[in-house]
């Protein structure tokens, strides 16, 4: 039997019992749609997470250091890193200041949380460490730090929230009742996020002495590294320096770690979640495959006389096997196509609901893999019924009613 004839017979058989064929496909449809939605959603979450990490700046090392004698831990790390110029390019405190931000009639106390400006206590290297670029005006400089200047640089969303279309440069805003002059505005870099990095107001960390209840113990800071290859070297160097300062825990504590370590742990966690959810969806595919085998066995029983006639007139066993395998593979393939279509719709909906309107679609590789897997599943689970059909003796098959 030629392949084209086998396809025509399979199509005729499927169309003859449309309802039964569709019910047989349901397990494959649900399984394929579930797997595609799960995989694409996990990929979308991973992409969103990577975008967030990149927006915050890559190649960073976080340092936490607390010294019992009250020494300025940030200043020690800052001064030490100035001698690591071969692989360290910037250092800034990692701290925020609580307080009300006000300009004219606008006050942060009455704003929605996603529009409320956040006051960041930064060094002259804050923008370098956080991958910000000044769009207008100037950045905070070393003179502002040393002389406690009451100046600030606004993120794009903070400038929009406080000033609308007015020019913020050299205007005064009030932070906890203390005036700060706007000297610069950063380029927008995180416009699609609710809790946006563009909502920052960066002030010199030394100006915290003017702010009521502001944290002046900068025990945590961020070190910007030259490139990803220098991260491990930076961590080991800083960890050795921290150990010398704390005398291995006798005079305080401290540690250094990389954001990339969190990324790796997050990726590992996502992989585990994908495996678990994929396994659950795989159970549906297994059930669907068993359903295919069951319905093909029923088909063999219904077409016993047809098989007997074909065998009696000289049909080879291989042609009988091919006929039933093509039919089984076609049922699964059609189910796979329907599942892929549903999977595309499911991933698009998941992207809109979970990832702030992101257009989330399965990759072509996943799509082709899902279709190939569904066809392979049909061949695997159709093998036993096909072999059973080919093994029928012509005399016995012809006697069947």
């Amino acid at each position: 039997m030629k392949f084209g004839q086998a396809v025509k017979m399979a199509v005729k058989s499927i169309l003859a019992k449309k309802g039964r064929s569709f019910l047989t496909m349901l397990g494959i449809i649900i399984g394929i749609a579930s797997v595609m939605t799960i995989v694409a959603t996990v990929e979308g979450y991973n992409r969103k997470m990577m975008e967030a990490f990149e927006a915050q700046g890559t190649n960073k090392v976080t340092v936490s250091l607390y010294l019992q004698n009250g020494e300025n831990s940030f200043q020690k790390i800052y001064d030490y890193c100035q001698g690591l110029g071969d692989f360290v390019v910037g250092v800034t405190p990692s701290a925020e200041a609580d307080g009300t931000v006000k300009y004219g009639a606008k006050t942060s106390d009455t704003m929605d949380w996603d529009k409320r400006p956040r006051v960041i206590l930064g060094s002259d290297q804050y923008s370098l460490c956080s991958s910000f670029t000044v769009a207008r005006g100037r950045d905070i400089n070393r003179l502002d730090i040393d002389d406690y200047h009451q100046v600030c640089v606004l993120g794009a969303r903070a400038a929009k929230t406080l000033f609308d279309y007015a020019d913020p440069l050299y205007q005064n805003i009030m932070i906890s009742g203390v005036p700060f002059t706007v000297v610069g505005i950063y380029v927008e870099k995180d416009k699609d996020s609710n809790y946006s990095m563009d909502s920052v107001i960066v002030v010199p960390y030394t100006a915290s002495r003017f702010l009521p209840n502001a944290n002046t113990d900068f025990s945590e800071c961020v070190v910007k590294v030259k490139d990803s290859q220098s991260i491990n070297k930076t961590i080991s160097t800083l960890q050795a320096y921290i150990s010398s300062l704390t005398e291995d825990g006798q005079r305080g504590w401290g540690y250094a770690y990389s954001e990339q370590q969190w990324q790796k742990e997050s990726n590992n966690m996502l992989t585990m979640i994908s495996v678990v959810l994929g396994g659950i969806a795989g159970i549906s595919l297994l059930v669907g495959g068993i359903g295919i085998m069951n319905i093909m066995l029923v088909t063999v029983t219904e077409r016993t006389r047809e098989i007997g006639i074909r065998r009696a007139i000289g049909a080879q066993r291989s042609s009988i096997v091919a006929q039933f395998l093509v039919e089984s593979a076609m049922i699964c393939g059609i189910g796979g196509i329907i599942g892929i279509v549903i999977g595309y719709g499911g991933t698009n909906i998941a992207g809109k609901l979970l990832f702030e309107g992101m257009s989330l679609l399965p990759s072509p590789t996943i799509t082709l893999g899902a279709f190939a897997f569904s066809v392979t599943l049909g061949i695997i689970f159709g093998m036993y019924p096909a072999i059973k059909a080919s093994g029928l003796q012509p005399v016995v098959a012809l006697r069947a009613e």
Side-chain angles (χ1 to χ4, degrees):
M1 177 185 288
K2 294 181 180 180
F3 180 75
Q5 290 177 313
V7 171
K8 289 180 181 179
M9 293 182 68
V11 171
K12 184 177 179 180
S13 177
I14 293 170
L15 293 178
K17 295 181 173 61
K18 301 182 185 68
R20 188 175 76 178
S21 298
F22 177 74
L23 291 175
T24 305
M25 298 174 189
L26 272 181
I28 304 299
I29 293 171
I30 294 171
I32 292 294
S34 300
V35 169
M36 290 190 66
T37 302
I38 290 168
V39 172
T41 301
V42 170
E43 284 186 353
Y45 179 82
N46 190 50
R47 190 198 320 166
K48 199 73 176 178
M49 184 181 64
M50 289 300 105
E51 288 175 356
F53 277 124
E54 289 173 2
Q56 293 172 5
T58 55
N59 302 331
K60 295 195 301 184
V61 173
T62 299
V63 177
S64 292
L65 175 63
Y66 174 76
L67 299 174
Q68 292 179 349
N69 57 11
E71 293 181 81
N72 189 329
S73 56
F74 169 72
Q75 193 63 49
K76 286 188 173 295
I77 295 295
Y78 184 93
D79 293 340
Y80 181 72
C81 286
Q82 302 313 302
L84 304 178
D86 291 341
F87 47 92
V88 171
V89 296
V91 189
T92 187
S94 179
E96 295 188 19
D98 295 328
T100 301
V101 179
K102 185 177 181 181
Y103 174 74
K106 293 187 176 182
T107 175
S108 60
D109 291 341
T110 60
M111 296 177 184
D112 296 335
W113 70 270
D114 58 326
K115 295 182 179 179
R116 191 171 298 169
R118 296 179 291 119
V119 180
I120 304 295
L121 302 171
S123 73
D124 55 311
Q125 298 167 354
Y126 172 83
S127 58
L128 183 63
C129 294
S130 301
S131 301
F132 274 107
T133 303
V134 176
R136 298 174 55 214
R138 67 171 179 86
D139 206 350
I140 293 173
N141 56 41
R142 190 64 206 174
L143 189 62
D144 296 325
I145 301 294
D146 293 338
D147 292 347
Y148 313 100
H149 288 168
Q150 294 171 225
V151 296
C152 64
V153 182
L154 306 183
R157 183 176 292 192
K160 174 66 176 176
T161 299
L162 292 173
F163 292 90
D164 289 325
Y165 297 101
D167 186 2
L169 285 181
Y170 310 115
Q171 300 295 319
N172 286 335
I173 63 173
M174 306 297 290
I175 303 176
S176 298
V178 179
F180 283 80
T181 302
V182 178
V183 295
I185 303 168
Y186 289 128
V187 173
E188 186 176 45
K189 58 180 287 187
D190 190 25
K191 64 180 180 180
D192 295 328
S193 174
N194 284 333
Y195 192 67
S196 175
M197 291 185 67
D198 293 318
S199 293
V200 297
I201 299 175
V202 183
V203 303
Y205 72 91
T206 52
S208 61
R209 62 175 56 193
F210 304 123
L211 299 174
N213 303 318
N215 180 21
T216 57
D217 178 22
F218 302 107
S219 58
E220 187 167 299
C221 62
V222 173
V223 178
K224 178 75 171 183
V225 184
K226 185 176 181 180
D227 51 45
S228 59
Q229 288 74 27
S230 302
I231 288 178
N232 291 335
K233 182 177 181 180
T234 303
I235 291 175
S236 60
T237 302
L238 288 172
Q239 196 64 59
Y241 178 64
I242 290 170
S243 296
S244 68
L245 287 177
T246 60
E247 296 179 1
D248 293 326
Q250 299 300 313
R251 297 178 54 239
W253 59 267
Y255 56 89
Y257 64 92
S258 170
E259 295 290 344
Q260 291 186 357
Q261 294 172 330
W262 296 113
Q263 293 180 40
K264 291 178 181 178
E265 291 179 8
S266 180
N267 287 337
N268 291 336
M269 181 186 69
L270 287 175
T271 300
M272 291 178 60
I273 292 173
S274 299
V275 170
V276 172
L277 295 179
I280 295 172
I283 294 173
S284 176
L285 288 172
L286 178 61
V287 172
I290 294 172
I292 292 292
M293 181 185 293
N294 181 59
I295 208 65
M296 292 308 297
L297 287 171
V298 172
T299 302
V300 170
T301 302
E302 291 176 343
R303 295 161 63 180
T304 300
R305 282 185 61 82
E306 175 194 325
I307 296 168
I309 293 171
R310 292 186 58 204
R311 291 283 286 138
I313 62 177
Q316 299 295 319
R317 290 190 63 180
S318 59
S319 66
I320 302 297
V321 171
Q323 175 187 343
F324 283 92
L325 285 183
V326 167
E327 183 173 336
S328 176
M330 186 169 290
I331 291 174
C332 283
I334 294 172
I337 292 173
I338 297 173
I340 288 170
V341 173
I342 295 174
Y344 265 78
T347 54
N348 192 37
I349 292 171
K352 301 296 184 185
L353 295 179
L354 300 177
F355 305 120
E356 301 171 359
M358 175 189 291
S359 180
L360 184 63
L361 293 175
S363 67
T365 302
I366 294 175
T367 303
L368 292 175
F371 177 73
F373 183 78
S374 63
V375 173
T376 303
L377 201 66
I379 294 173
I380 291 172
F381 282 94
M383 187 66 72
Y384 172 68
I387 293 174
K388 182 178 180 181
S390 70
L392 291 174
Q393 295 299 318
V395 175
V396 177
L398 288 170
R399 287 175 180 174
E401 296 295 334

